[in-house]
Amino acid sequence: MKNDGNWKLWIMLAGCSFIALVLISCQPLANKSPSTNNVFAKDNLVAWCIVPFDASKRDPWERARMLKRLGLRKVAYDWRTKHVPTFEEEILAYKEHGLEYFAFWSWHPAMASLIKKHGIRPQIWMTNPSPKSGTQEEKVEAAAKQLLPLVQQSQKLGCKFGLYNHGGWGGEPENMVAVCEWLRKNTQNDHVGIVYNFHHGHGHISDFSEVLARMKSYLLCLNLNGMNEGAQPKILPLGQGQHELRMMRIILQSGYRGPIGILDHRAELDAEKSLQENLEGLRKLLERI
C-alpha cells in the first residue's frame, strides 16, 4: 500500500510537471501576437506629421496629452516658422508626459542649444537634395556636400542624421543609399542613415522588396501609409489601400526591427482622429498577417 501511494504521488507530480511544461512552451507563442511583439508594436511607433497638419491646432501640452491618450511614446516633430517660439515648450511637454523626442524635421539654428540644454538626441531628418546636372557620381557628391555642414553639426550634437525621401532624384532609394555611403565614408561615422516614407514612395510599390533590401542596413525609420497605385490618393489611412499589407509583410520578412512611423498629414482632420484611424487600420492589418 505504501509503494502504491508513492507511485500515485509520482504520477500526479509527473502530470503536473507536464502541464506546466506545456503552459511554458505555449507562452512564447502568445507573446508573439502581432500587436505586442514585433516591429509594429505600439511602443515602436513614431507619430509623424502631427504639428502643422493638425486641424485642432494643439499647443505643445495638448499635443503631449493627446499622444499619451493614444499610447504613443515617440514623436517626430515637424514645424513651421510660427512654431519656433514654442520649440523649448514642446521639449518640456514631451518630457513631462514621458514621450521620446525622437526626431526633428529639417533644421533650425535654435535647436542646437536646446538639444544641448535638455540632453535630447533627436534624429535630424533632412530631404535628400536633387542636383539637376552632372554624372551620377557628380550628383551624389554634390548632394552630399550640400548636406555636409549639417551632417557634421548633427555628429557633434550626438544626433543621427536621416536622409528623407521627398521625390525627385534625391528621393530614389538608390541615390539615397549612394549619398549615405558618401557621407559615412567622408565623415568616418555611421550616424548618417535613411528615413523612408511610403507616401513618397509610390513609384516603388512593385519592387519594394528589392528597395528595402538595399536600404535596410541604413534605415533609421520607416514611415507607413495606405498605398494605392499612382498615389490615388497620396495620403491614405492604413488598411484602406491596395498594397500596404503586402509591403508590411515584406518588412517583417526582411528582419528590419527599427522604428515605424504612422502619419497624420491631413490638415483637414483632427490629428488624434487621424492617428486613431491609422492605429485601427494597423491593428486590422496585423490580424491578417
Side-chain angles (χ1 to χ4, degrees):
M1 292 293 294
K2 187 175 180 180
N3 288 337
D4 287 345
N6 288 341
W7 274 106
K8 287 178 181 178
L9 179 61
W10 185 87
I11 291 171
M12 183 172 66
L13 290 173
C16 290
S17 299
F18 175 76
I19 292 170
L21 286 171
V22 169
L23 291 174
I24 291 170
S25 66
C26 288
Q27 189 64 33
L29 295 178
N31 287 340
K32 289 182 179 177
S33 66
S35 60
T36 60
N37 195 29
N38 64 39
V39 68
F40 301 114
K42 185 175 279 191
D43 62 4
N44 196 45
L45 300 181
V46 181
W48 176 222
C49 290
I50 63 170
V51 180
F53 294 97
D54 184 6
S56 296
K57 302 188 184 304
R58 289 175 171 83
D59 66 26
W61 300 96
E62 292 168 337
R63 189 159 31 255
R65 289 192 291 270
M66 177 265 288
L67 292 165
K68 192 80 171 180
R69 283 195 300 272
L70 292 174
L72 296 170
R73 302 177 184 178
K74 304 176 191 288
V75 190
Y77 183 75
D78 55 333
W79 56 278
R80 300 294 183 266
T81 302
K82 65 181 180 180
H83 298 110
V84 174
T86 60
F87 275 0
E88 186 166 25
E89 197 174 355
E90 196 88 22
I91 296 170
L92 294 172
Y94 292 177
K95 281 191 171 185
E96 182 168 315
H97 289 82
L99 305 174
E100 179 184 348
Y101 199 120
F102 178 79
F104 182 81
W105 164 249
S106 189
W107 185 244
H108 191 283
M111 276 304 292
S113 60
L114 292 175
I115 287 171
K116 294 176 183 177
K117 177 180 178 180
H118 293 284
I120 58 174
R121 295 292 181 268
Q123 296 180 4
I124 308 302
W125 291 358
M126 181 69 70
T127 298
N128 194 34
S130 295
K132 301 300 182 184
S133 61
T135 64
Q136 175 67 3
E137 291 74 17
E138 289 169 343
K139 288 181 178 180
V140 168
E141 184 173 353
K145 285 184 174 179
Q146 184 176 329
L147 296 170
L148 190 56
L150 185 53
V151 168
Q152 292 171 332
Q153 185 175 13
S154 66
Q155 185 177 2
K156 291 177 182 177
L157 291 170
C159 299
K160 292 185 180 297
F161 186 91
L163 304 172
Y164 186 98
N165 65 315
H166 207 295
W169 180 93
E172 287 296 313
E174 177 185 356
N175 300 331
M176 297 177 77
V177 169
V179 174
C180 182
E181 290 176 341
W182 192 100
L183 287 167
R184 285 191 175 198
K185 177 181 178 181
N186 287 276
T187 61
Q188 297 182 336
N189 194 293
D190 63 358
H191 78 295
V192 181
I194 291 171
V195 178
Y196 188 77
N197 299 272
F198 275 24
H199 65 287
H200 291 303
H202 287 88
H204 288 283
I205 290 174
S206 61
D207 64 345
F208 180 65
S209 180
E210 292 78 9
V211 163
L212 182 59
R214 185 74 180 94
M215 296 188 298
K216 181 187 164 188
S217 60
Y218 304 106
L219 280 175
L220 301 179
C221 192
L222 264 175
N223 295 326
L224 305 183
N225 182 53
M227 298 293 280
N228 283 342
E229 294 289 344
Q232 300 296 324
K234 181 177 181 179
I235 306 298
L236 184 65
L238 291 170
Q240 297 184 25
Q242 302 166 321
H243 300 289
E244 65 267 27
L245 177 62
R246 179 183 63 84
M247 295 170 76
M248 286 169 58
R249 283 191 171 122
I250 290 171
I251 292 171
L252 283 174
Q253 293 164 1
S254 75
Y256 172 77
R257 292 297 178 266
I260 294 287
I262 60 167
L263 297 176
D264 169 17
H265 209 308
R266 290 186 284 170
E268 76 283 0
L269 195 63
D270 176 274
E272 185 167 7
K273 293 180 179 178
S274 180
L275 290 173
Q276 282 175 330
E277 278 191 18
N278 276 290
L279 288 171
E280 179 61 17
L282 179 61
R283 183 188 66 79
K284 291 180 177 178
L285 289 169
L286 290 175
E287 287 177 353
R288 296 174 66 185
I289 292 176

